[in-house]
């Protein structure tokens, strides 16, 4: 089980295939994490731009949320 | 000044009348890409467990004629339109018919995660179906970008 409770309120994660996960919040897409390769989780923003590569899914998910928070207008 | 024709975005699901292997999928994609190029239609095809999900986008008339052609294709049945809406821009502008293989699993989505395919095909409300469709567009673009980066 993955701790989605630790995500900010309103963030929804969906699994598209066995290794691909997408985050959205109230209709706005935040990004994705792709774990198709062994020991590597690729985090991308909503425009598919690379955020980073991580050793664990949870780290990739946190990176997506952090990136979207920084990118959001004040 | 000429108005830009409005774009239409349509997604449907259907069931293959017989299972598709890699060779039949490649043939289907080639036929689809040739036809779509002629009509300036773009989109993406998914094949999963004997089911197709296809996204089409183009002018209203181009999508209508493409769907009429698809509807006559005996290789599939049970066609169900999931989304049919106007869109300000194309989601798959670079693909006459994109395709990326899914990493399928029989396991349910982990606790706390939505399942995109369940939402796309079974959700009772349009907002959830639309969200699931956008999740698939993100999946496709990310996988295509990753594969391009590896070349």
């Amino acid at each position: 089980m993955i701790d989605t409770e630790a995500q900010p309120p309103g963030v929804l994660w969906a699994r598209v295939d066995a290794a691909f996960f997408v985050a959205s919040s109230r209709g706005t897409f935040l990004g994705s994490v792709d774990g198709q390769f062994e020991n590597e989780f690729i985090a991308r923003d909503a425009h598919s731009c690379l955020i980073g590569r991580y050793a664990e899914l949870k780290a990739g998910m946190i990176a997506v949320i952090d990136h979207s928070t920084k990118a959001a207008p004040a | 000044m000429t108005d830009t024709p409005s774009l239409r975005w349509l997604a449907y699901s259907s069931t293959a009348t017989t299972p598709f292997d890699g060779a039949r999928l490649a043939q289907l994609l080639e036929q689809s890409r040739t036809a779509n190029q002629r009509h300036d239609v773009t989109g993406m095809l998914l094949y999963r467990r004997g089911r197709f999900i296809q996204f089409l986008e183009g002018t209203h008339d181009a999508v209508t004629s493409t769907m009429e052609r698809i509807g006559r294709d005996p290789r599939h049945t049970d066609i169900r339109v999931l989304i049919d809406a106007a869109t300000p821009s194309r989601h798959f502008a670079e693909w006459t018919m994109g395709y990326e293989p899914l990493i399928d699993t029989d396991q349910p989505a982990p606790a706390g995660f939505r399942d995109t395919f369940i939402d796309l095909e079974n959700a009772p409300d349009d907002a959830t179906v639309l969200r699931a469709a956008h999740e698939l567009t993100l999946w496709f673009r990310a996988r295509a970008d990753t594969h391009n980066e590896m070349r």
Side-chain angles (χ1 to χ4, degrees), chain A residues 15-65:
Chain A
R15 185 190 68 175
V16 178
D17 73 11
F20 194 91
F21 307 90
V22 174
S24 60
S25 178
R26 300 178 180 88
T28 299
F29 284 87
L30 309 180
S32 63
V33 180
D34 189 357
Q36 67 173 310
F37 304 115
E38 198 172 351
N39 301 322
E40 183 180 64
F41 292 85
I42 303 171
R44 295 183 182 275
D45 70 12
H47 305 288
S48 196
C49 296
L50 183 68
I51 297 172
R53 298 169 189 270
Y54 304 88
E56 293 180 353
L57 173 59
K58 189 172 180 180
M61 292 169 68
I62 290 169
V64 166
I65 301 302

Side-chain angles (χ1 to χ4, degrees), chain B residues 96 114 116:
Chain B
T96 49
R114 304 288 301 185
T116 296

Side-chain angles (χ1 to χ4, degrees), chain A residues 13 15 17-18 34 48, chain B residues 103 107 114 143 145-146 149:
Chain A
W13 282 92
R15 185 190 68 175
D17 73 11
D34 189 357
S48 196
Chain B
I103 304 171
Q107 298 297 312
R114 304 288 301 185
R143 284 278 162 85
D145 286 344
T146 298
E149 287 160 9

